[in-house]
């Protein structure tokens, strides 16, 4: 039997009984899935980490980071409603560039998503160390899991799987409640810090020498913070509007609102939090650390709770320690859902075992994918036992996986110009180009120490591809190497640039300024090649027909979680 590229529309319809997800999420549930994923452990640690790199200018880091992520999100706001499929970040490249490109980017997406639930568990356990010895503190401010901490981490991951197994409706109900709590707490922190201990002098504390002033890390500190301090990491949850697109009752309306709304809402909240944090740091702490660069609260398990205690808000510190378990736990719950949808999507694409796309008949839960996410999460704890060690890796992997979305958007406009687009971006290729440029910059700023691990993980995925192909036999999809070979060149250019770069372990040949130029060249070359070698329109049509057949609801959606 000759290898094929994808399921036909008829085959997609026939398979829905075994791999059909439930459309039980309404507009609030989908928006809150994004907000709940964005507001996780990042807000608990990001304010301090950003301030240590950029001082008060970290406010600019949050603003720039929000704009860069919004550019990427806008591209998916057009793609999502056009073909509303769960696991869309993985499945969209399959339509325009074939199986090899979709596998490569799907592997990266899955690796990125699979590591988020563990990092959220680690974030929660770091704060919970106040009550039990769950982590060990190190001089650099990091905390690694103890034996007891690892045992509780296993239990936490298991709870995420059980909730997801029950079904998307119950997940949405629980998540809506938890997001309401998280929004209340973060706004309470901002209000309490601004009203109780706001020191305007902190924004220009020049007496601390190189460690003081508005931007002690200079421009490099501002941009490094975007990639490594948890800023970009904190915004990556906007993807839930795409990953859960096949489970919302009105995707044409709900997806753009969820993507754009979650970034704008959380961006405003994060900027306010950074302002409040900068203003609340006691002058004595800045003097002791000689400014922002060496500021640390290593023995207090969590910087926000430590500040609250120092300024006399004991009740707020207690509230933060409680929330520090709830907020990351909710985000870990969301990302367990997303990780399962990524492997589900790879199974639907045909470039991973088909068993990953099987769902339970009653709840529509991708049970095999959930179990795989659980096992991988436990493995991740071993090489990345602390929050700080994992955040940069997740950031680079996720923005890299998002980078192909803008390319798909521009390609689909050429391949399927007549496909209905409920939400369409203006400006032609400008926003997609800037979105890809933003993705490449964030990977560069993360530094070689982080990036080499990412590219090693990608290489592992490429090594496994022949195994998956052989296992599938005659049912394996065509790789479409002609349409997707440019992915390898793109990744190779990014790897060489990172190795030559001046960020965290690089050779310091390409600095910050030159990095803007080299990234522009990489983005232009990648964009031109992707458009030049995209699949022809006649090959894309069967892809979109099958996808639309799958995305069409067969019954009225339930309304229990559709508020």
């Amino acid at each position: 039997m000759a290898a094929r590229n994808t399921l036909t529309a008829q085959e997609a319809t026939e398979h829905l009984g075994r791999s059909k997800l439930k459309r039980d999420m309404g507009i609030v549930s989908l928006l809150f899935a994004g907000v709940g994923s964005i507001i996780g452990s990042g807000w608990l640690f990001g304010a301090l980490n950003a301030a240590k790199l950029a001082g008060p200018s970290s406010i600019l880091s949050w603003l720039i980071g929000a704009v860069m992520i919004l550019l990427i999100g806008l591209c998916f706001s057009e793609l999502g409603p056009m073909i509303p499929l769960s696991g869309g970040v993985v499945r969209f490249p399959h339509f325009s560039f074939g199986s090899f490109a979709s596998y490569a980017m799907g592997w990266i997406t899955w690796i990125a998503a699979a590591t988020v639930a563990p990092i959220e568990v680690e974030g929660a356990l770091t704060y919970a160390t106040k009550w039990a010895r769950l982590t060990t503190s190190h001089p650099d401010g990091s905390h690694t899991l103890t034996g007891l901490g690892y045992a509780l981490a296993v239990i936490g991951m298991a709870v995420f799987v059980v909730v997801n197994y029950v079904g998307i409706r119950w997940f949405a109900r629980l998540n809506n409640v938890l997001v309401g709590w998280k929004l209340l707490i973060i706004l309470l922190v901002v209000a309490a810090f601004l009203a109780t201990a706001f020191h305007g002098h902190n924004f220009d504390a020049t007496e601390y020498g190189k460690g003081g002033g508005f931007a002690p890390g200079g421009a490099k500190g501002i941009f490094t913070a975007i990639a490594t301090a948890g800023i970009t990491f904190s915004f990556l949850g906007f993807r839930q509007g795409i990953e859960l697109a096949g489970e919302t009752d009105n995707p044409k309306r709900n997806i753009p609102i969820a993507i754009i709304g979650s970034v704008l809402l959380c961006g405003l909240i994060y900027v306010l939090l950074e302002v409040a944090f900068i203003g609340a740091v006691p002058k004595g702490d800045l003097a002791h650390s000689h400014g922002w660069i060496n500021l640390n609260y290593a023995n207090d398990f969590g910087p926000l709770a430590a500040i609250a205690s120092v300024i006399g808000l004991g009740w707020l510190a207690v509230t933060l320690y409680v929330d520090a378990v709830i907020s990351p736990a909710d985000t870990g719950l969301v990302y367990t859902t997303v990780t399962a949808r990524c492997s589900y999507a790879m199974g639907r694409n045909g470039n991973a075992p088909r068993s990953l796309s099987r769902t339970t008949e009653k709840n529509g839960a991708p049970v095999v994918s959930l179990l795989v996410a659980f096992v991988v999460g436990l493995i991740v704890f071993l090489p990345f036992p602390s929050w700080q060690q994992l955040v940069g890796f997740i950031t680079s992997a996720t923005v890299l996986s998002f980078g192909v979305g803008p390319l798909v958007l521009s390609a689909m406009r050429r391949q399927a110009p007549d496909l209905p687009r409920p939400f369409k971006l203006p400006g032609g290729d400008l926003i997609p180009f800037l979105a890809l440029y933003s993705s490449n910059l964030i990977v560069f700023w993360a530094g070689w120490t982080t990036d080499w691990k990412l590219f090693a993980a990608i290489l592992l995925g490429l090594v496994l591809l022949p195994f998956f192909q052989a296992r599938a036999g005659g049912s394996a999809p065509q790789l479409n190497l002609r349409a997707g070979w440019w992915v390898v060149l793109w990744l190779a250019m990014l790897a060489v640039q990172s190795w030559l770069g001046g960020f965290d372990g690089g050779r310091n040949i390409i600095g910050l300024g030159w990095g803007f130029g080299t990234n522009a060249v990489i983005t232009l070359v990648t964009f031109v090649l992707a458009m030049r070698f995209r699949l022809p329109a006649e090959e894309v049509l069967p892809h979109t027909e099958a996808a639309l057949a799958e995305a069409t609801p067969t019954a009225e959606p339930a309304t229990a979680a559709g508020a």
Side-chain angles (χ1 to χ4, degrees), residues 24-36 168-169 171-176 179 240-241 244 247-249 254 258 334 559-563:
D24 286 339
M25 299 189 74
I27 185 170
V28 173
S29 295
L30 196 64
L31 174 64
F32 272 27
V35 173
I168 197 69
R169 183 187 306 181
F171 157 80
R173 286 173 171 172
L174 177 60
N175 184 65
N176 287 352
V179 170
Q240 310 331 330
L244 302 174
E247 293 155 274
T248 186
D249 56 4
N254 296 353
V334 175
T559 58

Side-chain angles (χ1 to χ4, degrees), residues 516-552:
F516 285 104
T518 56
N519 271 286
V521 173
I522 291 173
T523 302
L524 180 61
V525 171
T526 303
F527 203 96
V528 170
L529 291 177
M531 296 306 104
R532 169 65 178 81
F533 292 99
R534 69 185 189 274
L535 288 174
E538 58 269 21
E539 292 188 35
V540 174
L541 185 59
H543 293 230
T544 56
E545 285 181 345
L548 290 172
E550 180 184 343
T552 302

